[in-house]
Amino acid sequence: MDTSIRPIIGGAERRRHQRHALSFKQQLVALTLVPGASVARLAREHGVNANQVFTWRKLSREGRLVSEQSTAVRLLPVDVAPPMVAAGTPSRVDPPLGSGRLRLECARAQLIIEGSPDAQALRVVLEHLLR
């Protein structure tokens, strides 16, 4: 049998998995979103498997093709002050804080609320988190 016509794949010829920079992935995904762009052609031109590009596109749609720094937990400073009562306005007594606990988890954050939060503040926080 003539082995000169059959390719022999040795260990040195096998490609290792490449690690691509986040900026490269984001730029390539952006190129694929241009109307009329061919994912297969762009992948071939950039030396990447088309299936990998489709995976990056999916991650991008889900908001998961971001840097580790942008997904890190960020805390905001909060000051708690007693409610202010305008002069001449009868003061009202707020009901005591409830013992309920609300826990919300989404792809980008985790929010735990205990007691009875201000409805307006809660609405703003939830709108921001659920975008």
Side-chain angles (χ1 to χ4, degrees):
M1 179 177 213
D2 185 11
T3 59
S4 62
I5 58 172
R6 284 191 342 185
I8 299 173
I9 300 174
E13 294 177 23
R14 294 181 65 185
R15 289 182 68 181
R16 293 273 183 205
H17 292 286
Q18 288 183 305
R19 298 223 181 252
H20 297 285
L22 176 63
S23 60
F24 172 79
K25 296 174 190 179
Q26 292 170 331
Q27 290 172 354
L28 190 52
V29 166
L31 289 174
T32 66
L33 299 176
V34 173
S38 166
V39 173
R41 182 183 53 78
L42 286 167
R44 193 171 41 252
E45 288 174 357
H46 289 85
V48 179
N49 186 295
N51 291 325
Q52 184 65 65
V53 177
F54 281 112
T55 300
W56 293 340
R57 284 172 48 127
K58 180 177 183 274
L59 292 173
S60 179
R61 273 192 313 272
E62 295 171 351
R64 295 173 40 204
L65 192 60
V66 294
S67 70
E68 288 296 320
Q69 292 175 343
S70 65
T71 60
V73 174
R74 289 173 280 195
L75 301 177
L76 300 175
V78 176
D79 292 325
V80 178
M84 296 180 59
V85 178
T89 306
S91 63
R92 67 181 174 96
V93 177
D94 289 329
L97 292 177
S99 61
R101 183 175 183 171
L102 172 67
R103 181 177 177 162
L104 171 68
E105 291 185 44
C106 62
R108 299 184 315 168
Q110 176 182 13
L111 175 67
I112 299 173
I113 300 172
E114 294 181 345
S116 301
D118 174 66
Q120 177 66 18
L122 181 59
R123 183 183 64 75
V124 171
V125 169
L126 290 175
E127 284 177 357
H128 180 72
L129 287 177
L130 299 176
R131 278 189 214 166

